[in-house]
């Protein structure tokens, strides 16, 4: 279970969605691209720019509480779900789409 967010994100990257919103344990969220992650030993970490503190936060991805895909500006998120579902279906077949549909 610790690795679930990393596995979801890896699948989303493979489906052409490498940039996600990571929901952090402190209630905040941060946008991050897969290319802005690294493996530290066997732990995938996200390198998050913290403008307020002027630091780069190194957040273990498995400690994130959720993951999402931001809809493009001016696009209704409810309508954008079908775009996400279609990308997942293309990559993982109908089983992936049904799993995504039941989760949302």
């Amino acid at each position: 279970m610790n690795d679930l967010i990393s596995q979801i994100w890896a699948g989303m990257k493979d489906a052409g969605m490498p940039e996600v919103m990571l929901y952090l344990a402190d209630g905040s969220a941060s946008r991050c691209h897969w290319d802005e992650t690294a493996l530290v030993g066997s732990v995938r970490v996200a390198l998050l720019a913290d403008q307020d503190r002027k630091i780069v936060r190194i957040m273990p991805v498995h400690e994130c509480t959720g993951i999402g895909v931001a809809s493009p500006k001016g696009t209704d998120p409810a309508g954008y779900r079908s775009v996400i579902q279609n990308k997942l279906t293309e990559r993982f077949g109908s089983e992936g789409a049904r799993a995504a549909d039941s989760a949302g």
Side-chain angles (χ1 to χ4, degrees):
M1 183 77 166
N2 278 359
D3 206 29
L4 190 56
I5 298 291
S6 294
Q7 290 175 13
I8 292 169
W9 194 0
M12 292 174 69
K13 173 187 65 82
D14 291 345
M17 298 173 280
E19 186 170 77
V20 300
M21 292 297 293
L22 294 175
Y23 295 91
L24 310 178
D26 66 4
S28 65
S30 186
R31 185 180 302 255
C32 192
H33 192 283
W34 183 265
D35 291 346
E36 297 164 347
T37 70
L39 279 176
V40 177
S42 64
V43 177
R44 177 144 317 265
V45 297
L47 308 172
L48 306 175
D50 187 327
Q51 299 295 332
D52 294 336
R53 294 175 185 88
K54 296 181 176 35
I55 61 170
V56 174
R57 293 174 71 176
I58 300 172
M59 175 64 58
V61 173
H62 72 267
E63 289 184 7
C64 295
T65 60
I67 189 169
V69 177
S71 59
K73 281 188 176 182
T75 302
D76 177 22
Y80 196 62
R81 288 186 297 201
S82 63
V83 173
I84 302 301
Q85 188 171 15
N86 287 339
K87 286 183 179 187
L88 292 173
T89 300
E90 287 173 10
R91 175 66 175 105
F92 300 107
S94 60
E95 288 301 312
R98 278 196 290 276
D101 192 40
S102 65

